[in-house]
Amino acid sequence: MGVKGKLIGSVEVKCGGNLVHDIFQTNTHHIPNICRGKIKHFEIHEGGTIKAGSVVSWKYNDDGKDKIAKQVIEAVDPQKKSITWKVVGGDLLELYNSFTTIISCDHQWATWTFVYEKKTEETPEPLVLLGFALDLIKDIEGHHLLKK
């Protein structure tokens, strides 16, 4: 059994958490256009929309390397404006036995929570990935502020 960890990072969003949540729940297909250079492709394989049980995949560029993540959506909570994604395939599972991401939004904040189990004690904490995820939020915010 590996070492379990949890990382949480939040960023203030001037465009409002509702807009960020909307992008991730109903307009996820726009993220590759909004976050150019970071997200290369997004696809829903099963489920048709972002809902519990849907299977999705992301092609992304992390620290200059092209990577893939396949995820199952475990929960969508419209009241808390949160989505829980469990990684079931891709590059993250080379370093981690399990990896779950949660994005939650409120009035002026967007928060990423990573819950994971490292394969070995030497596996690094996913700090670079957390910075990447927070940068996605900033890109989404910048996109919405430009539209105003």
Side-chain angles (χ1 to χ4, degrees), residues 25-94:
Q25 184 176 7
T26 60
N27 291 300
T28 321
H29 59 283
H30 289 299
I31 293 176
N33 293 326
I34 295 170
C35 303
R36 292 188 186 275
K38 293 181 182 94
I39 302 294
K40 308 274 184 168
H41 183 73
F42 171 79
E43 186 174 345
I44 299 175
H45 297 280
E46 296 175 27
T49 61
I50 300 297
K51 62 185 178 189
S54 294
V55 177
V56 302
S57 67
W58 303 83
K59 291 182 182 176
Y60 61 102
N61 188 293
D62 179 28
D63 206 22
K65 298 178 184 105
D66 287 340
K67 298 190 177 181
I68 295 173
K70 187 172 184 181
Q71 298 174 306
V72 172
I73 297 172
E74 290 191 322
V76 176
D77 187 331
Q79 280 72 38
K80 291 183 181 177
K81 294 182 180 34
S82 72
I83 303 171
T84 303
W85 322 68
K86 180 179 180 179
V87 176
V88 295
D91 296 280
L92 284 171
L93 295 183
E94 292 175 10

